[in-house]
Amino acid sequence: MKSSVAKALFNSYTYSEYKKIVSDLLSEGKSTGNEQSEDLLHYSTLNETRLKRLDKTITVPEEVSAKLKALEKEYIWLVIAEGWCGDAAQILPILNKMALESNKIDLKIVFRDSNDELMNQFLTNGARAIPKLLIINKELGKVCKHWGPRPQGATDLIKNYKEQFGIVDEEAKTQLQLWYLHDKGLSVQNEIVEIMYSIKECVCL
């Protein structure tokens, strides 16, 4: 296993542990990560509410559940995230529900700003975009595939908005949240299940 992945796994958290860290920091008036600001604190507060809501409302369709239960190999889903990230708040509850459907998936979460070496191996168009899901073959200890930071529909929405208006502003973020609301987590689930069944070999990244 590459040292950056092994180090991240050693310092990783379960979903419930991740939520507690975010919540405890908020109680101190702080957000996760190296940078502290009123905006990040505001986003973190919104995201905590979002996580609680999605934990109650996200469901896994039977066809997705069946495919997850039928996985032959064991995997670790290692997610790079931060509490202030809106996309992470939308996606982590989905990944948690999916992982709970299968005894072959172990979900772990690490904070981006505490794992520079790992994050820099999985940039998106040169950016440290999160969340980023690394799919690790547990037996081999190797990263097979990675996914993120958004499902394709959400990626297209932001890309088109930026092309039209030149920026990603609060209106763009509002449209993105509405997209997630209407999608109900289905795009994330379908894309990741497709990836899980497309894995032929693992690459050591």
Side-chain angles (χ1 to χ4, degrees), residues 64-165:
V64 172
S65 176
K67 289 179 179 178
L68 293 171
K69 286 181 169 67
L71 289 171
E72 295 181 1
K73 297 178 181 178
E74 294 187 359
Y75 297 92
I76 300 169
W77 284 1
L78 180 61
V79 187
I80 307 171
E82 290 285 352
W84 46 258
C85 176
D87 291 291
Q90 293 284 0
I91 291 168
L92 281 173
I94 304 170
L95 297 180
N96 179 57
K97 286 289 181 74
M98 293 177 73
L100 291 173
E101 291 292 316
S102 174
N103 60 8
K104 299 295 180 66
I105 300 170
D106 188 10
L107 177 64
K108 296 291 185 180
I109 304 167
V110 294
F111 292 97
R112 185 192 72 174
D113 292 358
S114 303
N115 293 273
D116 286 336
E117 185 182 355
L118 181 70
M119 181 73 257
N120 290 335
Q121 293 177 65
F122 298 96
L123 302 177
T124 303
N125 299 322
R128 291 157 54 85
I130 52 177
K132 181 71 76 166
L133 166 65
L134 312 183
I135 300 170
I136 302 168
N137 180 299
K138 187 177 284 190
E139 181 182 0
L140 299 176
K142 293 183 179 181
V143 176
C144 300
K145 296 277 188 177
H146 56 89
W147 176 94
R150 299 183 177 112
Q152 192 60 51
T155 298
D156 292 343
L157 184 153
I158 293 298
K159 179 173 179 281
N160 294 337
Y161 190 97
K162 194 171 183 179
E163 287 176 353
Q164 184 174 357
F165 299 103

